[in-house]
Amino acid sequence: MRPLFIAGNWKMNPPTAEAAVALAQGVKAGVGQEAGVRVAVCPPAVFLHQVDAALAGSPVGLGGQNMHGKTDGAYTGEISGAMLNDAGCTHVILGHSERRHGMGETDAQVNSKLHAALAVGLIPIVCIGETRLEREADRTEDVITGQLTGSLAAVSAEAMPGIVLAYEPVWAIGTGLTATPAQAQAVHRFIRDWLANAFGDATAARVVVQYGGSVKPDNAGELLDCPDIDGALVGGASLKEADFLGIVRAAQAVTAKGKP
């Protein structure tokens, strides 16, 4: 069984460093010293240093929400992988649907960032997923294949286990809708099969593939129990300490009993 990984994407929240530190401290206290599962939080970049200090001595990882594909230069408003390292980051989210569909980010850009992240030792969380129109047009597998092919271009089989994938059905993000466990598992199985074809069975078996789409404490256990779902990339629920820790506890329970 692959280690379950719960990551919180705080997006453009909360509004102050004080609130960010308080949330981080709450997560740290709730997780404790022996999480039993992998946990990380991804606050806005301006709070990374403060949150890193708040998480000191905790197994909770720290992630950025984006980065540039270049190491430095005239890229106003951008953040490099080295800067994320300096702020204490262990992870970085790449290609989130809000950047792909809201800001026009391409697979090629995600791929550039992915290689830059790997070069500085960050663990990339690469997001993929279809829109509602694409799902209704029965194009889910085509969309996923294109995003995987483009985003993971020139990645070696040796490097692939150091990359986390996050399947996020765009139609289930911030809408209150959630893919059923059967729907989510079907796409995760497709992703696992694609990885096996691209990198081999042994590598595919090691890659963590999270689910991200309105995950909450009351549906986390059933989703995480699916054989090919290895965790969750949590949005809104990660801003509420009790909800995020509820999802972590669901992951701990699945880990304790094992997958069916």
Side-chain angles (χ1 to χ4, degrees):
M1 178 174 161
R2 289 169 294 275
L4 297 183
F5 178 27
I6 308 300
N9 177 14
W10 294 2
K11 305 187 182 183
M12 200 166 69
N13 302 286
T16 66
E18 181 181 10
V21 167
L23 180 55
Q25 289 173 333
V27 170
K28 174 182 177 179
V31 168
Q33 290 300 311
E34 298 294 335
V37 298
R38 293 169 61 189
V39 181
V41 295
C42 304
V46 292
F47 301 147
L48 284 170
H49 281 287
Q50 294 99 318
V51 171
D52 180 51
L55 293 174
S58 165
V60 178
L62 180 68
Q65 296 179 15
N66 185 38
M67 60 174 279
H68 199 274
K70 299 292 186 181
T71 57
D72 53 45
Y75 303 103
T76 301
E78 295 292 341
I79 298 169
S80 71
M83 293 173 184
L84 292 180
N85 272 336
D86 185 69
C89 287
T90 50
H91 296 73
V92 60
I93 299 171
L94 301 177
H96 191 277
S97 62
E98 291 163 359
R99 298 196 62 83
R100 287 182 183 270
H101 299 287
M103 303 178 187
E105 196 163 281
T106 66
D107 292 327
Q109 288 174 310
V110 175
N111 182 249
S112 173
K113 295 176 183 185
L114 170 62
H115 286 284
L118 292 173
V120 297
L122 290 168
I123 298 172
I125 302 173
V126 180
C127 301
I128 54 177
E130 82 283 16
T131 65
R132 184 171 184 173
L133 288 177
E134 289 166 341
R135 172 166 277 270
E136 290 175 348
D138 198 27
R139 294 192 58 237
T140 295
E141 292 185 358
D142 290 340
V143 171
I144 295 297
T145 296
Q147 291 174 339
L148 287 169
T149 302
S151 300
L152 300 178
V155 171
S156 67
E158 292 73 22
M160 194 60 223
I163 298 169
V164 175
L165 298 177
Y167 166 59
E168 39 171 23
V170 181
W171 48 273
I173 299 174
T175 63
L177 300 174
T178 308
T180 66
Q183 287 174 321
Q185 165 58 24
V187 180
H188 279 249
R189 181 71 255 174
F190 176 80
I191 293 167
R192 191 83 56 198
D193 289 342
W194 185 93
L195 290 169
N197 288 330
F199 300 103
D201 290 341
T203 297
R206 296 174 58 198
V207 177
V208 168
V209 186
Q210 299 174 310
Y211 172 75
S214 296
V215 180
K216 300 177 177 63
D218 59 0
N219 64 20
E222 194 174 11
L223 287 163
L224 296 173
D225 212 29
C226 294
D228 290 295
I229 297 180
D230 308 318
L233 181 59
V234 185
S238 70
L239 299 173
K240 300 176 182 177
E241 176 188 322
D243 286 355
F244 186 66
L245 291 174
I247 295 168
V248 171
R249 285 191 286 271
Q252 290 169 331
V254 170
T255 298
K257 73 177 182 61
K259 300 255 189 177

